[in-house]
Each structure stands twice: as C-alpha cells, then as structure tokens.
Amino acid sequence: MQNQKILILNFGGQYDQLIARRVRECKVYCEVRSYTMTLAEIQEFNPIGIIFTGGPDSVYKEDSYHPAEGIFELGIPILGICYGCQLLAHHLGGVVTTAEDGNAREYGKTLTFYKNSCLLFDGLSEEGISWMSHGDYMKKVPEGFKLVAHSEKCPNVAICDEERKFYGVQFHPEVNHTENGTVMIHNFLYRICGAVGDWTMEDYMHRCIEEIRSKVGSGQVLLALSGGVDSSVCAALFAEAIGSQLTCVFVDHGLLRKDEGDEVEEAFKKWSLNLIRVNAGERFLGKLAGVTEPEQKRKIIGEEFIRVFEEEGKKIGRTDFLAQGTIYPDVIESGKENAETIKSHHNVGGLPDFVDFKEIIEPLRLLFKDEVRELGRQLGLPEYMVMRQPFPGPGLAIRVIGEITEDKLGILREADFIFRDEVAKAKLDIQMNQYFAVLTNMKSVGVMGDGRTYDWAIALRSVTTEDFMTADWSRIPYEVLDKVSSRIVNEVPHVNRVLYDITSKPPSTVEFE
Ligand code: XMP
C-alpha cells in the first residue's frame, strides 16, 4: 500500500528534521529532500502537501535558494515556514525586504495574534507565543493572500490563500517554544492536505526492509553489534530483510552488565544471521591490568576494539556494505564542534575504515530514539532490549574507579543488577534516564553480625535528563533507596556501604570516569 506522503523541501534551515518529526508524530509519512528537486521528481514523489523549510538566506539575493519552477502550478498545498514563507511571497507577487532598523526583525519567543478563521489556526486561541528567527519580512503580501497573524513588531506574520491552499508563517511551528505549533502542523496535514493518518512504524519497517533488499541484492553486510538499542534495532532490521547475508560482530569485552552478553545472543536467535560473539574479556582485562587513569582506560579499550574488529574483518573476508545504527541525534551531534574533550567517547556503532566495503547503509538515520524503540518492538525485539538505557562503550571499566579486576567487576555487576531490579519493581525506570551502580575505590569500616568489616563502598548514580549534556540527579524515593541499599550489603559480598550521588551535571558528569 502506498502511503500518503508529505514532501519537506529543505532550503538549508536548521529545523528540517524537526519538521519531519512533527509530521510523522501526526502519523503522516514524510521525507526531507533538497530544494534542488526537479519538478518531474516532485511529481513522481506525488506528495499530498509540500512544506518549505526555513533557510539562512534572503529570498531576494541573487544566489539564494529557490524551488523548481512550476511548483506553484501543481495544485498541491504548500506550507512555507520562515524563509519558506518569504519564498511564497517573493514568487507570488509580494515583496520581501530586510527588516529596517530592527523593525519587524524578530528572534525568539514572540507574542503572536492569530485569526483562527484561517484553517491553519483553526481551533486555537487568538494569541500565543511563537518562536521567531527572521531578519527579513514581507513588506507586501502577494495578491490573493490574506494576512492571518501579526505580532507587536511585525504586521505580517502569517499569510494564506485558501483557494490555492498556500500558507506561510514567519515563525517556526515545529519547535517546542511555539505554543500549539503541532496543532498548526496537524491542521495543515489533515484540514488542508486531506491526510488520513495512514503512516505507522509497521509500514515504515516494511518500507525499510524493501529498501534494504533492493539495495543489498545478493551482497554481504557487516554490522558491529554493541547490544545497545540503536545497533540492536539496526541488526534486527537487516536480519529481517536479508537474513544470512548479514554478519554481526559482537565484541564482548568482558565489561558488560550482568547477563548482557547472553541476552544479546538470545534476542537474535530467531533470525538466521551470522552472529559472531567474540569473547575477549581476558584480553581486555590483560590490557587494563594496573591501569587507573580514566582517559588511559578509555584509550586502551578503544584501541583494543579496533584490533579485535580488524582480526574479525580479516576472517570474514568479503564485505559489500557496512550497516550502522546511526540515529538522528547522532547526525546532529556530529555536525557540532567539540570545544574541549572532557572525555574521549568511545562508540561501538561503527567499524574502522580498514574494512573494505562499497557503501555504508544507515537505515535509522532519520529516526528519533523513541521511533527507533518502536521499530525494535515491531521487529519483535524483547522489551528489555528496546528500552535499554544508554550504556557507554567502555562499559563497566569506567564504573570501577581505579584498577579493574575480575573480582571488582563481579561485585559491581551484582550491585548494579540489584539497583536496576528495584528500580524496575518500583516502576521508576520511565522517569530515570540513566541509572547504575559504581564501585568506588574506597574501603571503609563497617560492622556485620558481631564483626568488624573493612570493605568496598558502592555508589548509586541516577540522572534525569533530556540530552545528557546537562542532567539532574533523580529524586528516588527513600524507601526505594533503602531497599536497594539493604539488598546490596546483604547480597553482595565485600560491600558494606552504599552512597547516593546527589550532584548534577555540570559540575559532575554522568559517569564517574
Ligand atoms: P558523561 O559522563 O560524559 O556521559 O556525562 C554522558 C552520556 O554519555 C555516555 N557515555 C558514553 N557513551 N561511549 C559512549 O557510547 C563513551 O565512551 C561514553 N562515555 C560516556 C554516558 O553513559 C551518558 O549517557
């Protein structure tokens, strides 16, 4: 079945993916394409509506970006956002100029007044905050268009020609700061483009599977499986699409949580892929012996990973494609410059470039985390896998403070398991974005039974965060902390003290090392 589709033409704006996300949240399939798409390509794409994104340029400049000629004669509804709105004005007989003396130039949250007789604003209150970011404005509204919103500074905030179904807004309905922005997008899709809401993750999954099959043909695909949500969902997708043409290399560096390695293997049993589990625990521990400095630990683990893959890659021989579970937030992150290395992050998502391959395939590139989880569910991955919290590439090595030994890892695994178990029982896992135990390098005096003990202190860490760049410590109820603490000291030998970390990030980081 062919879904209804929305075409998002990207004119270089920073929120193109966010628009896509909003449209898909409204259960309408969409794709982001470059503004250079030709008229024939647009016709072939056959969208029920088109959205022009924002862009950094000015429409009246000589080399600014413009859509294909003839796009306004296709009879397809168009929503222009910011620069996209100015494009409508510019091409359809209006005038766009620089906002003079700062007049009508707006950035940030702006009180805006709407005429809700316009379908785009139907059902909304007459005023609300919108998010603006424009230095140009429409001096003259094009013929046939009505003015349907204004702000205190700018008279021309939104325009529409309901006959031709062209709508333009100077603000960004896709960002959270715009009150009712999603309703406006919903109105555009349902009231104006006639969407029926026929896009679901199940459909998307089938589409991805078809695409993978046609791209890969009879080729061989290699994927580095870490056991995290993204690489697992990616692996499941390829496994479903091409079965035994997929080889997954799963390096168990011996620094995983309790039972994690086995769980990964178990989850993929139902597919006929080639899953190579490399049990390299001893090798990693050997390299890490005596090492206490956090950055050195990270470096050793990162380098050793590459070596293990190199060896496996050589054994596998021919590879045509590399599969990667890159998701949209990774795409945004990689576009940003890192001012200073606080910690050298090590990711197991990719493979080093010595592996000979034709192309990288990243089927999750346009998906947000919650969409990736939903896709995983559709593919039949177990809930504990799709809901798995983030886990750092260097694993427990950066949660055992100081020197790492097999004994210490054993203690940490048990304590961490108890913590996770109690959090799940108390149903707190939804609110806590990441939570784990850490084995400190502190021993202290305790008393058990009638005897003195001199044993390790476990620290518990839990954070609530949206993006992990900043984080607050979770307010776990005392009763839950009490239960966790008493279980850890009773059930895990050589632990006589449990501490709870109550620092936010910054100044702390989420992990201890
Ligand atoms: P920090 O400790 O930097 O952690 O506040 C922020 C988030 O990043 C995760 N983290 C890592 N993830 N490789 C990863 O894939 C790494 O080397 C790494 N170090 C930290 C951490 O678990 C948290 O979610």
Side-chain angles (χ1 to χ4, degrees):
M1 186 194 72
Q2 183 61 56
N3 286 107
Q4 293 181 323
K5 288 185 284 187
I6 289 285
L7 172 64
I8 298 169
L9 275 189
N10 184 16
F11 290 89
Q14 48 177 331
Y15 298 130
D16 56 327
Q17 302 291 347
L18 205 49
I19 301 172
R21 173 164 197 178
R22 297 282 171 260
V23 172
R24 284 193 254 142
E25 275 169 5
C26 293
K27 302 207 179 311
V28 182
Y29 184 73
C30 64
E31 283 180 29
V32 179
R33 296 290 184 90
S34 164
Y35 73 96
T36 54
M37 207 173 179
T38 65
L39 198 66
E41 285 167 343
I42 294 172
Q43 281 169 311
E44 197 193 330
F45 187 86
N46 193 24
I48 58 164
I50 300 173
I51 299 179
F52 292 170
T53 72
D57 227 326
S58 290
V59 289
Y60 46 82
K61 281 201 187 140
E62 214 168 81
D63 50 1
S64 57
Y65 300 161
H66 293 272
E69 210 168 304
I71 195 167
F72 301 105
E73 280 78 52
L74 291 175
I76 301 171
I78 297 177
L79 170 63
I81 295 174
C82 197
Y83 178 87
C85 171
Q86 292 156 12
L87 277 174
L88 281 174
H90 182 77
H91 284 274
L92 298 170
V95 177
V96 179
T97 61
T98 311
E100 286 152 24
D101 305 328
N103 184 21
R105 170 181 305 190
E106 295 169 302
Y107 294 97
K109 291 180 182 175
T110 310
L111 182 61
T112 307
F113 305 90
Y114 306 102
K115 286 204 176 118
N116 45 25
S117 55
C118 167
L119 275 185
L120 198 61
F121 306 128
D122 191 39
L124 302 186
S125 62
E126 288 186 349
E127 57 178 77
I129 298 296
S130 74
W131 181 259
M132 300 277 191
S133 178
H134 65 100
D136 287 340
Y137 94 116
M138 286 175 289
K139 197 170 175 180
K140 179 171 169 270
V141 173
E143 196 90 8
F145 278 78
K146 282 188 294 200
L147 258 179
V148 286
H150 69 276
S151 64
E152 275 166 0
K153 261 177 149 188
C154 180
N156 307 342
V157 166
I159 53 170
C160 73
D161 175 344
E162 302 216 89
E163 207 149 288
R164 285 188 286 177
K165 300 189 175 174
F166 293 157
Y167 296 78
V169 291
Q170 285 283 14
F171 57 87
H172 290 271
E174 70 277 20
V175 307
N176 274 334
H177 304 298
T178 297
E179 288 170 1
N180 294 316
T182 307
V183 182
M184 296 172 198
I185 290 172
H186 194 275
N187 278 345
F188 176 69
L189 302 172
Y190 285 81
R191 307 293 307 274
I192 297 160
C193 302
V196 293
D198 60 357
W199 184 67
T200 59
M201 196 42 87
E202 193 188 344
D203 268 351
Y204 190 73
M205 175 184 78
H206 292 306
R207 200 184 293 263
C208 279
I209 289 171
E210 282 315 311
E211 271 174 28
I212 289 172
R213 283 185 185 147
S214 82
K215 188 162 222 168
V216 171
S218 58
Q220 292 293 320
V221 178
L222 184 60
L223 183 140
L225 182 63
S226 71
V229 179
D230 308 340
S231 72
S232 299
V233 172
C234 189
L237 192 59
F238 276 89
E240 187 70 33
I242 54 164
S244 58
Q245 285 163 261
L246 171 69
T247 301
C248 286
V249 178
F250 169 46
V251 177
D252 183 343
H253 51 18
L255 303 162
L256 296 171
R257 286 165 292 196
K258 187 175 175 177
D259 300 333
E260 204 165 23
D262 297 340
E263 283 173 6
V264 172
E265 252 185 307
E266 184 62 35
F268 287 94
K269 265 207 176 123
K270 67 177 199 165
W271 287 287
S272 60
L273 77 170
N274 306 308
L275 176 58
I276 301 171
R277 175 173 175 179
V278 189
N279 289 315
E282 267 182 39
R283 177 172 172 167
F284 277 82
L285 274 192
K287 293 275 172 191
L288 288 165
V291 179
T292 55
E293 209 280 313
E295 275 302 288
Q296 208 186 337
K297 285 185 187 175
R298 285 170 175 274
K299 244 191 207 128
I300 290 171
I301 296 168
E303 279 169 14
E304 208 52 25
F305 243 103
I306 296 184
R307 291 238 170 84
V308 175
F309 277 126
E310 203 164 18
E311 290 167 19
E312 291 309 313
K314 277 187 194 140
K315 280 189 220 158
I316 293 162
R318 180 182 146 221
T319 290
D320 302 294
F321 300 93
L322 212 57
Q324 270 188 9
T326 316
I327 72 167
Y328 180 52
D330 304 335
V331 177
I332 315 173
E333 262 317 293
S334 62
K336 288 182 188 153
E337 292 201 352
N338 230 344
E340 195 187 346
T341 306
I342 308 286
K343 299 175 184 182
S344 43
H345 273 213
H346 156 74
N347 280 306
V348 236
L351 273 185
D353 51 14
F354 59 81
V355 181
D356 236 352
F357 60 92
K358 276 194 277 193
E359 206 182 318
I360 296 182
I361 312 180
E362 297 172 311
L364 313 180
R365 209 182 156 78
L366 283 180
L367 298 185
F368 290 88
K369 197 79 177 192
D370 50 339
E371 294 176 316
V372 173
R373 294 192 206 277
E374 183 50 32
L375 180 58
R377 278 187 200 105
Q378 292 292 338
L379 286 158
L381 283 176
E383 198 60 20
Y384 64 78
M385 215 147 189
V386 295
M387 286 313 289
R388 194 161 263 177
Q389 49 170 320
F391 186 64
L396 301 184
I398 55 170
R399 293 181 182 171
V400 169
I401 311 300
E403 191 183 356
I404 303 159
T405 63
E406 194 52 77
D407 287 347
K408 285 183 176 179
L409 285 170
I411 293 172
L412 177 57
R413 272 194 196 104
E414 290 308 317
D416 184 69
F417 176 78
I418 291 169
F419 187 24
R420 287 188 286 135
D421 188 42
E422 288 303 323
V423 167
K425 280 184 189 151
K427 297 194 168 48
L428 292 171
D429 32 357
I430 312 281
Q431 308 148 40
M432 292 159 50
N433 300 98
Q434 197 173 7
Y435 49 98
F436 51 88
V438 172
L439 181 62
T440 70
N441 53 354
M442 179 187 84
K443 277 191 167 185
S444 67
V445 176
V447 53
M448 255 180 187
D450 286 329
R452 175 189 190 271
T453 58
Y454 186 61
D455 269 323
W456 296 111
I458 281 282
L460 304 176
R461 177 68 161 153
S462 172
V463 292
T464 309
T465 172
E466 260 187 21
D467 55 8
F468 293 93
M469 307 295 276
T470 61
D472 196 7
W473 59 277
S474 316
R475 271 50 170 183
I476 301 177
Y478 284 167
E479 311 78 68
V480 179
L481 286 173
D482 185 40
K483 191 84 195 282
V484 176
S485 162
S486 73
R487 271 192 67 189
I488 289 176
V489 289
N490 278 299
E491 295 174 32
V492 187
H494 304 296
V495 177
N496 66 358
R497 198 174 289 271
V498 177
L499 314 167
Y500 187 44
D501 182 353
I502 52 165
T503 32
S504 58
K505 172 184 178 176
S508 286
T509 53
V510 175
E511 302 288 348
F512 275 36
E513 289 196 336

